[in-house]
Amino acid sequence: MKLLRKLPLLALFTILTYSCSTDSVDDQVEAITENLVVPTAKTIEIEILELINNHRLSEGLNPLNALPVVKSVAYTHTDYMVDNAVVSHDNFYTRSSYLKNNAGAKIVSENVAYGYTSAQSVVNAWIRSEGHKANIEGDFTNFEISAEQNSEGKWYYTNIFIKK
């Protein structure tokens, strides 16, 4: 008889012990970013992010927030472009899928560039281009930039935008 009285408590204990995780998306993103390579921001990168947010504010748009997982993904693509001496959107689907699956992104877009020597010059070029400007002024919540130089000192840029 004592066993029958304890059975409901044992069942409750088992259910509580083996219940599903209730981690939020933010907790999941935080756990993912712990294993990513997120290089320290360079001065030119900080300037680009500030110029883009200043442009957005001048257009009455919300400023975007930086996100380490986006920085890591941008960095891997910029590194790819430097290694292959190419300016491209190669493997964009992979980057987009990764950010959708691991950063809670609903929409992903990117701008790339090569050869510009200052933050102002690359942002000006993007703003003069209809497609790049549309990304800068798009309905996004977060962004990041990676700027890397090749062995000759030429700059490569990847600017990724996401909407959560």
Side-chain angles (χ1 to χ4, degrees):
M1 190 71 177
K2 287 183 181 181
L3 180 60
L4 290 177
R5 288 185 193 161
K6 293 181 182 179
L7 193 55
L9 289 175
L10 181 61
L12 180 62
F13 175 76
T14 303
I15 290 170
L16 291 175
T17 303
Y18 296 104
S19 66
C20 296
S21 171
T22 59
D23 291 344
S24 71
V25 170
D26 291 335
D27 292 338
Q28 293 169 3
V29 170
E30 185 177 306
I32 290 163
T33 58
E34 290 174 8
N35 299 320
L36 295 176
V37 174
V38 183
T40 303
K42 297 174 185 67
T43 301
I44 194 168
E45 294 169 334
I46 295 166
E47 291 172 354
I48 290 168
L49 297 178
E50 288 175 354
L51 287 166
I52 289 172
N53 268 339
N54 289 342
H55 175 79
R56 289 179 61 86
L57 289 169
S58 76
E59 297 292 317
L61 302 168
N62 64 303
L64 303 177
N65 297 308
L67 191 62
V69 66
V70 177
K71 171 79 169 180
S72 178
V73 172
Y75 171 73
T76 59
H77 184 61
T78 305
D79 197 41
Y80 166 86
M81 291 192 303
V82 169
D83 288 348
N84 292 283
V86 63
V87 180
S88 74
H89 294 284
D90 290 354
N91 307 309
F92 174 73
Y93 178 78
T94 302
R95 288 187 297 288
S96 176
S97 293
Y98 182 85
L99 291 169
K100 287 175 180 177
N101 293 327
N102 296 290
K106 305 275 187 258
I107 301 169
V108 180
S109 194
E110 74 180 10
N111 290 341
V112 296
Y114 163 77
Y116 296 94
T117 58
S118 71
Q120 189 70 62
S121 64
V122 72
V123 172
N124 286 346
W126 282 333
I127 290 173
R128 285 191 305 266
S129 163
E130 192 175 312
H132 294 100
K133 183 178 180 183
N135 286 339
I136 289 172
E137 295 177 358
D139 183 20
F140 297 106
T141 55
N142 301 87
F143 70 153
E144 257 300 352
I145 183 80
S146 172
E148 298 295 327
Q149 289 180 293
N150 68 8
S151 58
E152 290 86 42
K154 300 285 185 181
W155 286 97
Y156 288 77
Y157 305 89
T158 303
N159 186 199
I160 297 179
F161 302 86
I162 70 168
K163 179 178 181 172
K164 285 183 148 197

